[in-house]
Amino acid sequence: MKVKGITISISLILLLISNSANGQNTDTLQLKSKIDSIMSVSYKADEPGAAVLVYNKGSVLFKKGYGVADSGSKEAITTSHKFCIGSITKQFTAMATLLLEEQGRLSIKDPIHKYLPDYPHRDKTITIENLLTHTSGMIDVFENQNWYSMWERELRPEEFVDVFKNDSLLTEPGTAYHYSNFGYAVLGLIIEKVSGLSLSDFLKQNIFIPLGMNNTSIPKTGDAIANLAKGYFSDDKGVQPANPINLSHLYGAGSIFTTADDLLKWYLWLDKRYKNGDLQVKRALSEFTFKNGNKSNNGYGMMLFKVHGKPAAGNNGGMLGYTNYTLWMYEDDLIIVLLSNHRYEGNESSMASRFDVNQKALRVAESVLGKST
């Protein structure tokens, strides 16, 4: 009877384990189905679409491509296709700066004139940290009307900076937030001056290669890019190919081409450093303090906010024919990468909402957290 009793007990335990596993599998399948619904409602199989990757609690929860990478060949998008990630590049430019500080080659508290002695506004103390946090007072590139006539011209980094550097500062450095792609161009130039390498080579040697990001690079205008998800836009006239991008104008603010798979490697590296108490990553996730004591919601190269009370860092990255969003919830082991080769440029609010990648990423995050609205 004891043996029989033991057998019954073991059977009962196995049954409970099996039921629990089946319950977990059902929950996971339902969650995957929900994520798939959030994405598939927007992207048709034969039109430009998106790649999405969701990592949670130590493993990839969901990864899938939607739509086509090329409207001609109808090649289906995967998470290994390359996209121009636009302003998500700023995270890499910011970390390159912090790595140089880690190496003792600069301090983010240094005034930029230490490295660019010919830069104007010498009566103002603009620090590297001001560039990192968009608190330099510098204009954005889109606020300089002369720039629009130069969009197709190939410019060296110094020439690009020359286009904007004499414009008046909008505010006293350190007193207000004003988003500036130009500020990140200046930051890229400082990285080159300090390291003796091009921004592309510095990122390649210090981030891309060490992290195994083998499908990530800063290409030059005209370079053939293998496995590219070509950029498209849509408006009232339908879907059309986007205009070519002059990559020399993106520079430290938006020049990286990469894949969803490679971006996961990037965030896992950041996440590991964060969990190990890395000072530089924690600083990148710290709110900037203005001179009046108020806090900004901007870290170094990324926005800081909360999703249902939980801390998060995120970035959108828009470029001609591309719109992307990444979300890193560093206290919840949740990473979401959403890259799209479709950009809506029409006037219908319902269509704008349909292709809003920020909104989609947040809805995915809420689904994973069990906080869906």
Side-chain angles (χ1 to χ4, degrees):
M1 293 296 294
K2 289 183 179 179
V3 173
K4 186 177 180 181
I6 291 173
T7 303
I8 292 172
S9 298
I10 292 174
S11 299
L12 180 59
I13 291 169
L14 291 175
L15 178 62
L16 291 172
I17 292 173
S18 176
N19 287 340
S20 175
N22 288 335
Q24 290 175 3
N25 289 338
T26 300
D27 290 343
T28 300
L29 288 173
Q30 289 176 342
L31 178 55
K32 289 181 177 181
S33 177
K34 192 159 195 174
I35 295 171
D36 187 50
S37 296
I38 292 170
M39 296 299 301
S40 60
V41 71
S42 297
Y43 303 108
K44 297 180 181 180
D46 61 346
E47 292 184 356
V52 62
L53 193 155
V54 182
Y55 176 94
N56 186 229
K57 306 299 182 186
S59 64
V60 173
L61 172 67
F62 186 91
K63 61 183 290 186
K64 188 175 179 179
Y66 298 83
V68 297
D70 185 326
S71 62
S73 68
K74 300 298 182 182
E75 179 184 358
I77 287 176
T78 70
T79 55
S80 63
H81 273 94
K82 296 175 186 175
F83 296 74
C84 176
I85 60 172
S87 286
I88 298 172
T89 297
K90 291 181 176 67
Q91 295 182 20
F92 293 87
T93 303
M95 185 51 64
T97 308
L98 293 174
L99 289 176
L100 284 171
E101 183 178 59
E102 194 172 77
Q103 296 167 9
R105 302 169 76 176
L106 60 73
S107 166
I108 63 168
K109 300 298 183 181
D110 287 338
I112 65 173
H113 291 102
K114 180 176 179 179
Y115 306 99
L116 303 175
D118 296 330
Y119 197 86
H121 311 299
R122 293 197 63 86
D123 58 326
K124 307 291 184 182
T125 301
I126 305 170
T127 67
I128 291 175
E129 187 176 32
N130 291 145
L131 300 178
L132 288 166
T133 56
H134 301 285
T135 58
S136 66
M138 293 177 181
I139 65 166
D140 191 18
V141 293
F142 300 103
E143 295 167 326
N144 181 307
Q145 294 304 310
N146 293 329
W147 172 71
Y148 289 90
S149 64
M150 303 180 183
W151 175 240
E152 295 182 353
R153 286 177 51 189
E154 188 75 13
L155 299 175
R156 292 182 293 105
E158 294 86 349
E159 293 174 328
F160 183 72
V161 169
D162 284 346
V163 175
F164 307 92
K165 69 181 185 182
N166 290 308
D167 287 316
S168 300
L169 297 181
L170 300 177
T171 57
E172 188 74 18
T175 63
Y177 173 87
H178 184 78
Y179 191 85
S180 176
N181 286 287
F182 172 58
Y184 266 75
V186 176
L187 200 55
L189 189 55
I190 291 174
I191 291 168
E192 294 196 353
K193 296 287 186 183
V194 173
S195 69
L197 299 170
S198 68
L199 177 63
S200 175
D201 285 344
F202 185 85
L203 291 175
K204 183 178 180 180
Q205 293 180 24
N206 290 273
I207 296 178
F208 301 158
I209 291 176
L211 272 60
M213 297 176 68
N214 300 322
N215 292 304
T216 303
S217 66
I218 295 180
K220 295 179 180 178
T221 303
D223 282 355
I225 302 173
N227 216 30
L228 175 68
K230 296 180 179 179
Y232 296 85
F233 75 94
S234 66
D235 55 16
D236 301 336
K237 298 177 182 178
V239 180
Q240 304 170 58
N243 291 326
I245 300 172
N246 188 309
L247 302 180
S248 72
H249 291 245
L250 305 183
Y251 195 40
S255 58
I256 290 176
F257 281 68
T258 188
T259 69
D261 291 329
D262 268 11
L263 279 176
L264 177 60
K265 296 175 183 178
W266 164 246
Y267 283 108
L268 288 176
W269 179 76
L270 288 176
D271 198 69
K272 182 178 180 180
R273 289 183 65 137
Y274 174 77
K275 287 181 171 60
N276 288 338
D278 181 80
L279 176 62
Q280 301 294 41
V281 175
K282 286 183 178 293
R283 290 171 73 191
L285 294 171
S286 299
E287 296 174 320
F288 178 79
T289 303
F290 295 114
K291 288 184 177 180
N292 64 4
N294 292 337
K295 298 279 188 180
S296 166
N297 66 343
N298 198 75
Y300 299 167
M302 59 185 83
M303 299 300 294
L304 307 175
F305 54 96
K306 292 188 176 180
V307 178
H308 291 282
K310 296 173 177 290
N315 245 124
N316 61 356
M319 191 43 62
L320 296 176
Y322 298 93
T323 176
N324 316 289
Y325 196 77
T326 57
L327 180 66
W328 174 32
M329 299 188 68
Y330 42 91
E331 294 290 351
D332 289 86
D333 202 21
L334 175 60
I335 298 164
I336 298 170
V337 177
L338 202 172
L339 307 179
S340 176
N341 67 334
H342 177 276
R343 183 179 181 88
Y344 180 69
E345 297 182 1
N347 298 315
E348 292 184 31
S349 59
S350 61
M351 291 292 285
S353 177
R354 175 182 166 187
F355 294 110
D356 187 335
V357 291
N358 303 36
Q359 186 181 104
K360 286 187 180 301
L362 289 172
R363 286 185 61 198
V364 170
E366 289 177 335
S367 297
V368 176
L369 296 171
K371 300 288 186 179
S372 299
T373 54

